[in-house]
Amino acid sequence: SIDFENNGIDFELKMSNTPLCVNIDGEKMRRVLTNLIDNSIKYRQSDSKKIILTCFADERNAYITVEDDGIGIEQNEIKRVFDSFYRTDHSRSSHIKGNGLGLGIARQITEQHSGQLWLRSDGRNKGTTATISLPLTDKGGYGIEYKENTDN
């Protein structure tokens, strides 16, 4: 559980009015979202306060975005942050703890769900938006269908 209030975070949730149906392993996708939100908290600037989680869909995919107003990522580092043990130059020299595995694992879990995970940032001090896309199911059901996955 993430304690937004004690971290001084203004958390905003924007949900689609249309129910979305995706097949996911709830525990694994919770791990992905927790990692993305934890990163937004860890890599914030001293005056960073906002994290916005948005859920929406197009004809084929559901999307979840985690947007922050943190330290951002330089364009030449965006793809590399998914590599194991890679940390941006700015984070290496800072007090931020971590081993550089989180985003790589988050991407791997998302891809195991036939989805994609990518980041967008306009550069240093411009914040970051992480986007998860997951294919909508053709079952026509409502909500999120949790698929129990016994594979570890």
Side-chain angles (χ1 to χ4, degrees), residues 59-117:
E59 304 80 36
R60 295 181 4 199
N61 295 297
Y63 299 91
I64 303 168
T65 65
V66 177
E67 179 182 358
D68 66 49
D69 58 352
I71 64 172
I73 304 170
E74 295 292 342
Q75 290 301 309
N76 62 338
E77 294 182 312
I78 288 258
K79 290 182 181 174
R80 296 185 65 199
V81 296
F82 292 101
D83 296 343
S84 294
F85 306 111
Y86 182 81
R87 296 184 69 204
T88 62
D89 287 335
H90 184 68
S91 67
R92 280 189 204 138
S93 61
S94 73
H95 63 283
I96 298 169
K97 301 217 183 304
N99 57 18
L101 291 172
L103 284 174
I105 292 169
R107 178 177 264 178
Q108 183 180 41
I109 290 170
T110 303
E111 289 173 351
Q112 288 170 353
H113 287 81
S114 301
Q116 294 181 330
L117 169 61

